[in-house]
Amino acid sequence: MILLLIILLTLSVSAQDFKSDIEKYLNQRLNGFDKIEYSVLNDLKQNNYVIDYNRELKIKGNIAYLPIKFSDNDKWANSILTLQLKLYKQVPVASREIQRKEKIDDNFYTLQSVDVSSLKSRVVELSDLEKSLRAKMIIKQGEVITQDLVEETPVIHSGSKVVAECIKGSVVVSTEAIARQDGKMNQIIDVLTSSNELLKAKVINSQKVLIE
């Protein structure tokens, strides 16, 4: 009976040590997160596992494939431990519903620690939010602001009056025009000149385009 208790205690300590090794390994390999949680999806039948540091950790979505070794009849064999991850990080979350084409500023979101492991698109970085961004589609209240939901705010809007310049050698000809599309810096858009010509022009700034 005493021997059985010693064996059980030894196995429990060994399993606990291995769990601690996994936590340290994940924190080293996946830095930049507030908190990392995991659960083992394999049916573990051995207790003599060790992490194989010579092989790479692979991650797909919220699933991680951890390279390990285990002892089998005094021989070490390679295996993979499948982990389900939860990766928490401070990210911008919409504090109210943001309408399509609405410019996003710091009143529209709060920073929250959220599990980002299952997100299909990368989270918008705070440095990007400091730039001029707008909603590409409706962003629901409580939704993480990801890159597929936003776009750069155009400097010229469809219907705006602009000066269209055409450069021929040393001669510059200017005319008034109407933007027929939203346009970002250096983007090619359609403009309608005062003589009703529909032309392609490059956006130079919020008031000027260059006819190609």
Side-chain angles (χ1 to χ4, degrees):
M1 183 67 178
I2 294 176
L3 179 60
L4 178 60
L5 288 174
I6 292 174
I7 293 172
L8 291 174
L9 181 60
T10 302
L11 292 176
S12 176
V13 170
S14 177
Q16 200 65 32
D17 287 345
F18 182 57
K19 181 180 178 181
S20 178
D21 288 342
I22 293 176
E23 290 174 355
K24 291 177 182 177
Y25 179 87
L26 291 176
N27 283 318
Q28 289 172 352
R29 294 297 192 277
L30 305 175
N31 52 22
F33 295 99
D34 302 331
K35 183 174 63 171
I36 298 173
E37 295 178 354
Y38 75 91
S39 56
V40 180
L41 300 183
N42 305 65
D43 182 15
L44 297 181
K45 297 179 181 179
Q46 306 282 343
N47 284 290
N48 51 348
Y49 294 99
V50 294
I51 297 172
D52 185 354
Y53 292 92
N54 293 319
R55 290 186 289 153
E56 290 295 321
L57 173 73
K58 295 183 179 179
I59 297 179
K60 187 174 181 180
N62 65 339
I63 301 297
Y65 302 95
L66 176 67
I68 60 171
K69 289 179 176 290
F70 67 92
S71 178
D72 185 14
N73 295 324
D74 296 328
K75 293 183 179 180
W76 287 97
N78 291 337
S79 186
I80 295 290
L81 202 62
T82 306
L83 310 176
Q84 187 168 28
L85 299 176
K86 288 187 177 182
L87 306 173
Y88 292 87
K89 187 177 182 180
Q90 289 278 336
V91 297
V93 177
S95 55
R96 68 165 180 82
E97 186 171 275
I98 305 173
Q99 300 302 313
R100 180 174 176 268
K101 293 189 176 183
E102 194 168 12
K103 188 176 182 300
I104 300 173
D105 60 36
D106 54 9
N107 295 316
F108 286 40
Y109 64 87
T110 58
L111 292 179
Q112 298 179 27
S113 185
V114 174
D115 174 22
V116 299
S117 59
S118 299
L119 294 178
K120 295 180 180 179
S121 178
R122 293 180 62 185
V123 176
V124 175
E125 299 293 335
L126 290 181
S127 57
D128 291 329
L129 282 172
E130 293 173 358
K131 301 174 184 177
S132 187
L133 295 179
R134 69 178 186 179
K136 190 186 297 183
M137 59 192 74
I138 293 176
I139 302 175
K140 297 178 182 178
Q141 182 178 0
E143 190 171 3
V144 176
I145 301 177
T146 53
Q147 292 183 353
D148 62 331
L149 299 177
V150 300
E151 62 185 1
E152 185 181 338
T153 302
V155 296
I156 288 178
H157 296 274
S158 178
S160 299
K161 290 183 179 181
V162 295
V163 174
E165 289 187 348
C166 180
I167 301 176
K168 297 292 184 181
S170 59
V171 179
V172 179
V173 179
S174 299
T175 183
E176 290 186 352
I178 302 293
R180 298 298 299 270
Q181 296 173 285
D182 290 347
K184 305 167 190 173
M185 291 290 293
N186 297 316
Q187 187 175 10
I188 304 298
I189 63 171
D190 290 336
V191 297
L192 185 66
T193 67
S194 55
S195 57
N196 273 340
E197 290 183 276
L198 187 63
L199 301 174
K200 298 287 186 183
K202 180 190 288 187
V203 176
I204 303 302
N205 55 43
S206 61
Q207 298 176 325
K208 183 188 297 184
V209 298
L210 181 64
I211 295 173
E212 293 285 285

